[in-house]
Amino acid sequence: MMQQTKINNFNEIITGRRSIRNYDPSVKISREEMKEILTEASLAPSSVNLQPWRFVVIDTPEGKETLAPLAKFNQRQVETSSAVIAVFADNNSLDYLEKIYDKAVDEGHMPQEVRNQQVPAIRGLLEQMTPEQFKDMNLIDAGLVSMQLMLVARAHGYDTNPIGGYEKAEIAEAFGLDKERYFPVMLLSIGKAADAGYQSVRLSVEETTEWR
């Protein structure tokens, strides 16, 4: 049985989310449930379904000790959260193109002839991109999965906080990743809030939207 009961009210998932900086350190998320959370988050859309996001789940004392000096201004989140998830964009995501589309055929989601048409067309298109264009595309997709991850965590009864202020130039190598291949996107702390957090205000739709 999962530790937390999923929240079924979609409105509560959206409006009840808070950026939490202080968690109940006694609450742990099992790796089984974390895998479920990441699986559900990974249903997020991505450009030509390349799914360029990669995760490092930092949930051990040793992992948090490694992370702490890289997230100096977020010590409470690192110390008290059940885990901190480092989200990366994989600059080699194109290497997975055939595997993804072959799996779509094997599972009956795509005819073989469609796969045979799309794979070379997609590869040809993406190989014409500059490295910067390809990175920008992957960053958008990694942002999509990050937001979905926060909402999925909320549906599981947990709270999150996105963290952008950390030592991005060092984090890949700190956790044994190739820094040329894996580009850091954000950290997401996850756990059970120790307090209610603060509700923040939003600009109105009238201020952010134009109708044409």
Side-chain angles (χ1 to χ4, degrees):
M1 180 178 292
M2 298 304 178
Q3 190 173 20
Q4 302 291 331
T5 302
K6 288 187 181 181
I7 297 173
N8 293 317
N9 187 313
F10 180 74
N11 185 63
E12 170 59 20
I13 293 172
I14 299 294
T15 61
R17 193 193 67 79
R18 302 284 185 272
S19 289
I20 297 299
R21 290 163 174 76
N22 191 30
Y23 297 90
D24 180 349
S26 69
V27 175
K28 305 300 180 185
I29 302 175
S30 71
R31 293 197 172 181
E32 178 187 3
E33 186 172 15
M34 186 65 78
K35 286 180 182 179
E36 182 179 344
I37 289 170
L38 293 173
T39 297
E40 292 170 359
S42 296
L43 296 174
S46 62
S47 303
V48 297
N49 199 27
L50 270 190
Q51 305 160 53
W53 45 75
R54 304 291 182 263
F55 309 109
V56 175
V57 180
I58 304 160
D59 64 351
T60 66
E62 297 77 14
K64 289 190 171 187
E65 185 177 347
T66 299
L67 178 60
L70 304 178
K72 297 176 183 177
F73 302 106
N74 298 279
Q75 294 299 298
R76 274 192 302 170
Q77 294 97 306
V78 173
E79 292 171 5
T80 63
S81 63
S82 299
V84 179
I85 302 170
V87 183
F88 294 87
D90 185 357
N91 289 322
N92 288 3
S93 59
L94 187 55
D95 292 348
Y96 293 82
L97 177 64
E98 283 80 5
K99 179 178 182 178
I100 292 168
Y101 280 71
D102 288 344
K103 186 176 181 181
V105 172
D106 292 342
E107 295 186 1
H109 304 304
M110 177 182 293
Q112 182 71 49
E113 57 270 22
V114 173
R115 179 264 181 220
N116 293 344
Q117 292 172 352
Q118 290 194 357
V119 166
I122 291 169
R123 180 171 291 280
L125 176 65
L126 298 187
E127 287 179 345
Q128 292 179 31
M129 285 184 169
T130 66
E132 196 63 32
Q133 288 172 328
F134 191 68
K135 186 175 94 170
D136 287 346
M137 182 184 77
N138 284 344
L139 285 174
I140 291 171
D141 294 339
L144 289 171
V145 81
S146 297
M147 186 69 252
Q148 182 137 315
L149 179 51
M150 287 186 274
L151 295 177
V152 169
R154 180 67 184 161
H156 278 253
Y158 299 111
D159 302 281
T160 57
N161 181 47
I163 300 169
Y166 61 99
E167 302 297 333
K168 292 186 176 181
E170 301 174 31
I171 191 164
E173 286 187 312
F175 289 98
L177 302 179
D178 179 357
K179 69 177 182 179
E180 300 301 322
R181 174 174 176 177
Y182 298 100
F183 187 84
V185 178
M186 69 177 71
L187 301 176
L188 288 172
S189 59
I190 179 172
K192 192 68 177 177
D195 51 53
Y198 296 98
Q199 185 171 3
S200 56
V201 299
R202 293 293 183 269
L203 294 173
S204 69
V205 171
E206 287 73 22
E207 293 172 292
T208 62
T209 307
E210 294 189 15
W211 306 89
R212 301 295 189 206

